[in-house]
Every structure is written in structure tokens, then in C-alpha cells.
């Protein structure tokens, strides 16, 4: 089971790389869109780092720790995995919300297959993988406030750059589309999502993994 989980993580990392490449190629098809802007999307950055995390986690899961069958993940490495998992999940939630809201306002947003993989399929896989818990690290509670660090820095940088170049990756960051109170509202929701999902992952990390549940079930049956 551990070997299968590790191989799946490595395979998903490869799929993510392919999806990122095709998504960049799709974006290049729009002559009015700056390629530099694409790389500043939170989705791209979180998924790019997630490729490295998935690969590292997959390789680490192939090496069971002595006695308990767990990987040798240090506290900081486990925190990175949990934080990046949060970022990818939030990216999917935000994008899904934007697409849904756009369709309800008679505005259609194209969602190519590469974008579907990055925003929906991979986040769904990460949630399932974390719940199954094979090689899952125990996420410390202090990871919750730490997870807000990069989104805040990214947001400040995006606002400053946007005021200079006149481009914002998401409508709720654009002063021409939202009022200051609306911006505070959306920013609060985003930060709450980051903190809430990280806290949920920390709580789930304290539950038995699928192999542990299986071992307990077999012991109760006397096997």
C-alpha cells in the first residue's frame, strides 16, 4: 500500500508538470495577455511548488521509518507539505467560485483541461491523499498562522505591482472593481480559508491513517 501511494504521488507530480506546461501554452494563445503575469498567479506558484512537494513526499514514502512504517519527515518538511496542500486547495476553491459566479452573471470563463487538472483534480487528489494518510506527517498547530505568511506577502506584492502595471490576477484585488470594504471582506474570507483548511489538515493528521485503521481492524478480528 505504501509503495502504491508513493508511486501515485510521483505520477500526480508528473501530471501536474504536464498540466502546467499546457496551461502556459494555452495562455500564450492570447496575444493581449502578458506571459509574465501568468507566472504571478497564485495557482501557478502553488502548483509549481506542489510538484516538488509531491515528488519529495513520494520518494520519502518509499523509505519506511524503523518500527512504525512511517516516513522520516522532519517537522519543517511536514509543515511545508501541509501548507502547500492548503494553498493548492484554496486555489481550487477560489477559482471554482469565480467560474461559478461568472456563469451566473452571464459571463463565460474558458476552463481548458489543463486548468481543470490544476484547479480541481489535483486539489481533490490532495484531499483524498491526506485523509488516507499514508506517510502523512503530524501537522503542528503553529503551522496555521505560518500558512498565512506567503499569501499576505503575495497579496501585498500583487497590490503594489498592480498599481504600477495596471493588472491584477483576481477581480477582488482590483481597486477599480471593488470598494475598500469589499476588498477587506474578500481578503478576510481568503485568509480565513487558508487558516481554516490548514487547521483541518492539522486535525486530520492526528487521526489514524488507513494502514493503522486496517491494522486495528485485523487485531480485533484476531489475525
Amino acid at each position: 500500500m505504501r509503495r502504491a501511494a508513493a508511486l501515485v504521488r510521483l505520477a500526480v507530480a508528473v501530471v501536474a508538470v504536464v498540466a502546467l506546461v499546457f496551461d502556459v501554452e494555452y495562455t500564450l494563445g492570447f496575444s493581449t495577455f502578458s506571459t509574465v503575469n501568468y507566472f504571478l498567479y497564485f495557482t501557478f506558484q502553488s502548483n509549481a511548488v506542489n510538484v516538488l512537494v509531491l515528488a519529495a513526499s513520494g520518494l520519502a514514502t518509499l523509505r519506511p521509518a524503523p518500527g512504525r512504517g512511517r516516513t522520516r519527515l522532519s517537522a519543517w518538511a511536514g509543515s511545508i507539505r501541509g501548507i502547500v496542500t492548503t494553498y493548492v486547495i484554496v486555489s481550487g476553491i477560489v477559482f471554482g467560485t469565480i467560474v461559478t459566479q461568472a456563469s451566473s452573471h452571464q459571463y463565460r470563463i474558458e476552463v481548458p483541461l489543463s486548468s481543470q487538472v490544476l484547479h480541481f483534480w489535483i486539489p481533490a487528489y490532495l484531499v483524498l491523499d491526506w485523509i488516507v494518510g499514508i506517510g502523512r506527517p503530524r501537522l503542528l498547530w503553529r503551522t496555521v498562522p505560518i500558512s498565512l505568511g506567503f499569501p499576505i506577502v503575495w497579496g501585498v506584492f500583487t497590490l503594489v505591482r498592480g498599481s504600477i502595471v495596471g493588472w491584477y490576477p483576481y477581480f477582488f484585488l482590483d481597486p477599480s472593481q471593488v470598494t475598500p470594504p469589499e476588498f477587506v471582506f474578500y481578503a478576510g474570507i481568503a485568509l480565513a480559508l487558508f487558516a481554516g483548511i490548514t487547521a483541518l489538515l492539522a486535525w486530520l493528521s492526528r487521526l489514524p491513517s488507513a494502514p493503522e485503521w486496517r491494522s486495528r481492524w485485523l487485531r480485533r478480528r484476531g489475525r
Side-chain angles (χ1 to χ4, degrees):
M1 184 180 291
R2 292 181 57 81
R3 181 177 178 81
L7 294 177
V8 170
R9 285 176 192 157
L10 295 174
V12 173
V14 173
V15 170
V17 170
V18 173
L20 285 168
V21 171
F22 274 93
D23 212 44
V24 172
E25 183 180 2
Y26 174 80
T27 304
L28 292 177
F30 297 91
S31 58
T32 58
F33 189 79
S34 170
T35 305
V36 175
N37 288 341
Y38 175 83
F39 296 108
L40 296 178
Y41 272 102
F42 194 88
T43 295
F44 173 82
Q45 296 179 6
S46 59
N47 273 281
V49 177
N50 187 50
V51 169
L52 301 178
V53 172
L54 280 173
S57 178
L59 293 174
T61 305
L62 290 174
R63 303 194 302 271
R68 296 191 60 185
R70 284 185 173 271
T71 55
R72 295 176 179 271
L73 287 177
S74 63
W76 67 266
S79 295
I80 290 176
R81 181 184 165 194
I83 289 172
V84 173
T85 297
T86 294
Y87 292 169
V88 175
I89 293 173
V90 171
S91 295
I93 293 174
V94 171
F95 183 78
T97 301
I98 291 175
V99 171
T100 302
Q101 291 298 314
S103 61
S104 65
H105 288 81
Q106 310 303 317
Y107 181 79
R108 186 167 178 266
I109 296 180
E110 292 290 339
V111 186
L113 180 59
S114 58
S115 189
Q116 293 177 33
V117 171
L118 295 173
H119 290 103
F120 305 136
W121 297 5
I122 290 180
Y125 162 75
L126 292 179
V127 172
L128 178 62
D129 186 39
W130 194 272
I131 292 174
V132 172
I134 298 177
R136 178 185 62 205
R138 185 180 177 87
L139 201 59
L140 301 177
W141 289 112
R142 65 170 176 263
T143 306
V144 176
I146 293 175
S147 69
L148 302 179
F150 178 71
I152 292 175
V153 173
W154 177 89
V156 172
F157 170 80
T158 301
L159 290 173
V160 173
R161 180 179 183 273
S163 67
I164 298 173
V165 303
W167 178 86
Y168 300 86
Y170 305 104
F171 78 91
F172 50 83
L173 297 176
D174 189 347
S176 66
Q177 298 190 56
V178 296
T179 64
E182 288 175 332
F183 167 76
V184 172
F185 174 74
Y186 286 121
I189 290 178
L191 292 177
L193 269 177
F194 284 116
I197 292 177
T198 306
L200 178 60
L201 295 181
W203 175 73
L204 288 172
S205 71
R206 285 158 172 74
L207 299 180
S209 65
E212 291 170 338
W213 279 114
R214 182 175 180 274
S215 297
R216 292 182 182 183
W217 181 76
L218 290 176
R219 285 198 300 269
R220 289 175 181 176
R221 292 179 61 89
R223 294 183 182 180

